[in-house]
């Protein structure tokens, strides 16, 4: 049996390194970039375990479920954790971070999610980065959902560990991810006796056996199909232009927000302020006495391919996510989502105006392009 995905020639170290270089260009970084062979949770956890320990005091910003996860990992490493939690319908602000440092000047590590696709908010990383730099703390950023949907600039923002994944706005595979690592972060890892070694979680193994060796010999056989898919999605972004790709996401987000506001029927944006809403996904609050999971299920009956999902966990009954990222980052996809949601709401006897929603979505796109 033959198949295009079978019997491929081995991926060379040189080609692996060239894909890392493309990721570095995507991030506009001069830092080392390590591509890790697994979904983004691998480098997210690996970076924390490499740099945090009993002597660490970490400010863990919680604007959604991933921030909660990072706090759990930090505590498991023995770090003292100061949680800065804000309501999931908003973003954290630099002044709140500054106040946390003033209350706890011993903080030497800050963990932050750039955009929370699960809750639809995005945080002002550039302003927060200024505060973190002033205090000399190590800055760890989850940019998995934000990369290619909005600017991600680890060097300009003073980010020491910036983790990305390809499966959302980049439109690539889920089984491979990457992290940019500053010289300060490498030094922190080298000084940490608890940093993973000879482990799949170990970033130091990649530093010592791959980067320091001139990127000549891979640590293990790479996930070849995922690497080729990552290379292809990077090529596609380069061909379109990163600004074009981020503009598509911004237009889709503007269309979703404006259309939902014009729809009526009690549907409204979950993130209250437009400036705090992530371009990767728009979250919507459903009207009282309406179950978001049931509403999404009914909307998907008309078109199962629509990028609609109910919120996770406790948000499953009150929140809908319009996941307009990657190939779905288009106003046309958003308009189809709004039409399906409007029809599902109308079936429940709620007064909606799908034509007004469609006009509002189109108008938002036009204003975005002006």
């Amino acid at each position: 049996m033959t198949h295009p995905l079978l019997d491929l020639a081995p991926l060379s170290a040189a080609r692996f390194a060239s894909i890392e270089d493309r990721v570095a260009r995507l991030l506009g970084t001069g830092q080392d970039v390590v591509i890790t062979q697994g979904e983004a949770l691998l480098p997210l956890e690996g970076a924390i375990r490499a740099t945090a320990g009993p002597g660490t005091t970490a400010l863990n910003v919680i604007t959604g479920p991933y921030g909660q996860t990072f706090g759990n990992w930090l505590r498991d490493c023995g770090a003292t954790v100061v949680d800065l939690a804000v309501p999931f319908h908003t973003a954290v602000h630099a002044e709140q971070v500054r106040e946390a440092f003033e209350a706890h000047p011993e903080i030497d590590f800050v963990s932050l999610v750039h955009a929370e696709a699960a809750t639809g908010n995005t945080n002002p990383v550039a302003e927060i980065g200024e505060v973190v730099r002033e205090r000399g703390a190590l800055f760890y950023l989850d940019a998995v959902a934000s990369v290619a949907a909005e600017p991600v600039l680890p060097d300009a923002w003073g980010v020491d560990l910036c983790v990305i994944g390809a499966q959302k706005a980049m439109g690539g595979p889920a089984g491979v991810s990457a992290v940019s690592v500053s010289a300060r972060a490498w030094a922190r890892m080298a000084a940490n006796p608890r940093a993973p070694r000879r482990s799949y979680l170990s970033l130091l193994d990649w530093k010592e056996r791959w980067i320091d060796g001139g990127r000549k010999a891979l640590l293990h056989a790479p996930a070849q199909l995922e690497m080729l898919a990552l290379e292809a999605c990077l090529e596609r972004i380069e061909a379109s232009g990163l600004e074009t790709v981020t503009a598509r996401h911004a237009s889709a987000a503007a269309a979703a927000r404006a259309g939902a506001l014009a729809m009526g029927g009690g549907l409204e944006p979950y993130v209250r302020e437009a400036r705090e809403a992530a371009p990767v996904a728009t979250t919507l609050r459903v009207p009282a006495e309406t179950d978001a999971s049931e509403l999404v299920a009914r909307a998907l009956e008309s078109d199962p391919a629509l990028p609609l999902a109910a919120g996770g966990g406790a948000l499953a009954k009150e929140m809908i996510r319009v996941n307009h990222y990657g190939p779905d980052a288009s106003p046309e996809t958003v308009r189809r989502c709004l039409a399906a949601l409007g029809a599902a709401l109308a079936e429940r006897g709620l007064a909606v105006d799908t034509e007004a929603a469609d006009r509002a979505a189109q108008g938002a796109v036009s204003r975005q392009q002006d």
Side-chain angles (χ1 to χ4, degrees):
M1 176 183 177
T2 59
H3 190 281
L5 303 181
L6 298 176
D7 305 319
L8 298 172
L11 192 74
S12 68
R15 190 164 181 182
F16 192 104
S18 73
I19 299 172
E20 285 184 336
D21 292 340
R22 283 182 132 150
V23 172
R25 288 196 296 272
L26 176 73
L27 297 175
T29 183
Q31 298 177 359
D32 291 325
V33 168
V34 176
I35 294 179
T36 49
Q37 305 295 285
E39 199 272 338
L41 281 173
L42 172 65
L44 285 168
E45 181 175 358
I48 282 180
R49 294 196 181 279
T51 52
T56 303
T57 300
L59 175 63
N60 181 49
V61 180
I62 302 175
T63 58
Y66 279 100
Q68 294 171 327
T69 297
F70 300 159
N72 293 337
W73 286 339
L74 286 161
R75 289 181 176 90
D76 189 54
C77 290
T80 300
V81 180
V82 177
D83 284 327
L84 171 55
V86 300
F88 288 178
H89 62 258
T90 186
V92 73
H93 299 293
E95 190 56 36
Q96 292 170 292
V97 174
R98 190 182 302 279
E99 290 170 359
F101 271 108
E102 290 172 355
H104 302 275
E106 68 275 16
I107 290 170
D108 61 357
F109 183 101
V110 176
S111 52
L112 175 70
V113 179
H114 187 182
E116 286 268 11
T119 51
N121 54 35
T122 191
N123 293 300
V125 183
E127 291 86 352
I128 292 169
E130 289 183 12
V131 177
V132 177
R133 280 199 302 273
E134 289 172 6
R135 301 291 181 148
L138 204 73
F139 194 10
Y140 163 101
L141 184 69
D142 171 354
V144 174
S146 56
V147 66
E150 55 187 305
V152 176
L153 302 168
D155 290 9
W157 297 343
V159 178
D160 295 288
L161 294 156
C162 182
V163 177
I164 67 167
Q167 69 267 32
K168 287 189 167 63
M170 289 177 67
V176 67
S177 47
V179 54
S180 65
V181 187
S182 73
R184 290 198 324 145
W186 285 130
R188 176 81 72 101
M189 293 180 208
N192 180 9
R194 295 194 175 196
R197 299 279 192 140
R198 295 169 295 281
S199 163
Y200 210 59
L201 284 174
S202 177
L203 293 176
L204 277 174
D205 286 356
W206 283 95
K207 171 73 164 63
E208 295 171 357
R209 297 171 56 193
W210 170 245
I211 295 173
D212 292 349
R215 299 194 297 178
K216 302 295 185 184
L218 290 162
L219 273 64
H220 46 70
Q224 182 156 331
L225 293 179
E226 286 78 5
M227 288 295 295
L228 295 175
L230 174 60
E231 183 181 50
C233 88
L234 288 164
E235 288 176 352
R236 183 167 61 183
I237 291 170
E238 291 166 359
S240 298
L242 182 58
E243 288 187 3
T244 298
V245 176
T246 56
R248 285 197 295 106
H249 286 82
S251 292
R257 189 174 186 88
L261 285 167
M263 176 85 73
L267 201 67
E268 60 184 26
Y270 184 81
V271 178
R272 295 174 184 174
E273 299 291 334
R275 59 188 168 80
E276 296 176 349
V280 70
T282 296
T283 47
L284 304 172
R285 191 184 299 277
V286 300
E289 310 303 323
T290 302
D291 187 294
S293 296
E294 294 177 2
L295 193 67
V296 167
R298 185 68 188 94
L300 290 176
E301 287 179 11
S302 64
D303 185 353
L306 290 175
L308 292 170
L315 298 174
K317 291 190 174 183
E318 64 180 271
M319 178 200 284
I320 292 171
R321 293 202 325 265
V322 184
N323 294 316
H324 43 67
Y325 54 72
D328 289 319
S330 73
E332 292 74 22
T333 298
V334 168
R335 289 165 61 194
R336 294 203 314 272
C337 289
L338 292 170
L341 289 172
L345 287 166
E347 285 183 2
R348 283 157 174 74
L350 295 167
V352 297
D353 190 337
T354 54
E355 292 184 359
D358 192 67
R359 289 195 301 272
Q362 293 186 66
V365 173
S366 297
R367 290 190 296 275
Q368 194 76 20
Q369 293 173 344
D370 289 341

